[in-house]
Amino acid sequence: MHRLPSLTITLAIAILLSLWLPPPAVSGPWPRPEGSGQVIVTTIRQAAPIGSFVQGTADSDTNFSEIFVEYGLVEDVTVGLSAFYQNSVSDRDDRSAAVTGLARTRVWSNDRGDIASVQAGFSYPVESLFSDNFAESQPDSTPEVDLRGLWGSSWWGDWGSAFVSTELAWRWRSEGQPDEIRSDTTIGYQPGRCCLALLGFNALAPLSGGSDAGLKIAPSFAYTLWPEIDRNEKKPLGIVRPRTIQLGFFYDVLNTDDGLGVQVSVWNSF
C-alpha cells in the first residue's frame, strides 16, 4: 500500500488544527515546513436543547470565537499562538477569554509515514483586561500548562488517502483547580484534493475529585477552494495557497445537557 505524500499530509493536518475545541486549539503530530504558516479563524455556537437551533427558547446558548496562528519556526519545530473569547447569550455573567501558546517538535518518524512528536503548551486567562466583573464571573479560569505526546500515521491508494492522529495530554491547572488528562483522536479520509471528512473523539478526565469528565464526538467536513485555471491560462508560479472552509458539529455524550455545538472554520496559509 502506498503512503500519503507529504503535501497531502500537510493539508490534512492543517484542517486538524481547527477541529479541537476550547481550551485552546492544538495540532496533530506533523510539523509544518520551515518558514510556512497558517491562520485559522473559528466560530462556534453551542445550544441546549438541540431543538433550540431551529425553534424555541434555549436553556443555554454560548458563542465562541478563536483566531489561531501556527508557524514552522525551524525544521521539525512548530510554534503556535491563539486567542479566544466565549460568551453566553443566556447568562451575561458567563464569559471567558484567554491567550494560549504551544511548541511542538518531531521526535521520531520513518519512511512509511508514521510519526511521533511531543508538545508543550500554556493558557493564560485575560478576563481581567476587560473588567473586574468579567474576571470575577470566571472563578475557575486559571493559568494552565499542558504536556502531550502525539502519534500519527497515513496511507493512500486509488481510493484516496486517509490518516489517523492520536494525542495524550496532562494539563496542570493552578489555583487549586483539578489537573486534567486529555485524549484526542482524529480519523480523516480524503477522496480527492478538494474534500476531507474528519471524525474526532475528544476525552477529558479531571483528577483530584474533578466532576467535569467529558467525551465529545466531532464529525466535520472541509472543502478546499483551489484557484481556477482556464484551459488557455498558465499555471501559477510558486506555492499555491488555497483557502479551506470547514463545517462540523460536536456533542458531548457524557454531558448531554450541554447540547449541540456547530462549528465554522476558515483557514489560510502564508
Side-chain angles (χ1 to χ4, degrees), residues 153-252:
S153 188
S154 54
W155 311 264
W156 77 286
D158 294 339
W159 43 267
S161 59
F163 69 90
V164 60
S165 171
T166 62
E167 305 183 16
L168 182 63
W170 168 70
R171 173 164 291 171
W172 172 81
R173 306 184 70 205
S174 62
E175 301 179 9
Q177 296 300 315
D179 297 344
E180 299 173 344
I181 297 295
R182 291 176 173 265
S183 176
D184 301 317
T185 300
T186 298
I187 302 169
Y189 171 60
Q190 188 176 37
R193 71 171 190 163
C194 69
C195 308
L196 178 62
L198 293 156
L199 179 61
F201 301 91
N202 316 124
L204 181 152
L207 304 176
S208 305
S211 59
D212 294 324
L215 176 59
K216 290 187 176 74
I217 300 176
S220 66
F221 176 81
Y223 186 82
T224 300
L225 303 171
W226 294 92
E228 294 185 4
I229 302 175
D230 293 335
R231 180 176 301 178
N232 296 326
E233 289 185 356
K234 294 183 179 180
K235 293 183 179 181
L237 299 176
I239 299 175
V240 177
R241 305 187 187 278
R243 173 175 295 176
T244 296
I245 300 174
Q246 180 189 11
L247 303 175
F249 67 90
F250 61 92
Y251 184 74
D252 194 327

Side-chain angles (χ1 to χ4, degrees), residues 11-188:
L11 173 62
I13 298 308
I15 300 175
L16 263 178
L17 289 172
S18 53
L19 249 183
W20 312 122
L21 306 172
V26 295
S27 181
W30 288 271
R32 288 199 61 85
E34 180 179 352
S36 70
Q38 62 187 355
V39 178
I40 299 173
V41 178
T42 297
T43 60
I44 294 172
R45 182 193 173 198
Q46 185 173 10
I50 295 176
S52 62
F53 273 97
V54 292
Q55 62 180 1
T57 303
D59 295 332
S60 65
D61 192 344
T62 302
N63 296 316
F64 173 89
S65 299
E66 180 184 50
I67 181 168
F68 179 84
V69 181
E70 189 183 49
Y71 183 74
L73 187 62
V74 295
E75 184 179 2
D76 289 340
V77 176
T78 299
V79 295
L81 187 66
S82 70
F84 79 80
Y85 174 82
Q86 178 175 295
N87 72 289
S88 172
V89 177
S90 55
D91 183 357
R92 293 186 177 181
D93 292 329
D94 185 6
R95 298 174 294 172
S96 61
V99 294
T100 69
L102 63 87
R104 182 175 67 257
T105 183
R106 183 205 319 252
V107 295
W108 172 85
S109 62
N110 60 27
D111 56 6
R112 297 178 300 175
D114 303 316
I115 185 172
S117 299
V118 294
Q119 179 174 294
F122 73 89
S123 176
Y124 191 84
V126 294
E127 289 93 352
S128 59
L129 297 180
F130 294 89
S131 69
D132 292 338
N133 291 336
F134 194 160
E136 292 172 358
S137 71
Q138 292 294 328
D140 297 337
S141 183
T142 67
E144 301 174 348
V145 175
D146 73 70
L147 302 173
R148 63 182 63 216
L150 311 90
W151 175 86
S153 188
S154 54
W155 311 264
W156 77 286
D158 294 339
W159 43 267
S161 59
F163 69 90
V164 60
S165 171
T166 62
E167 305 183 16
L168 182 63
W170 168 70
R171 173 164 291 171
W172 172 81
R173 306 184 70 205
S174 62
E175 301 179 9
Q177 296 300 315
D179 297 344
E180 299 173 344
I181 297 295
R182 291 176 173 265
S183 176
D184 301 317
T185 300
T186 298
I187 302 169

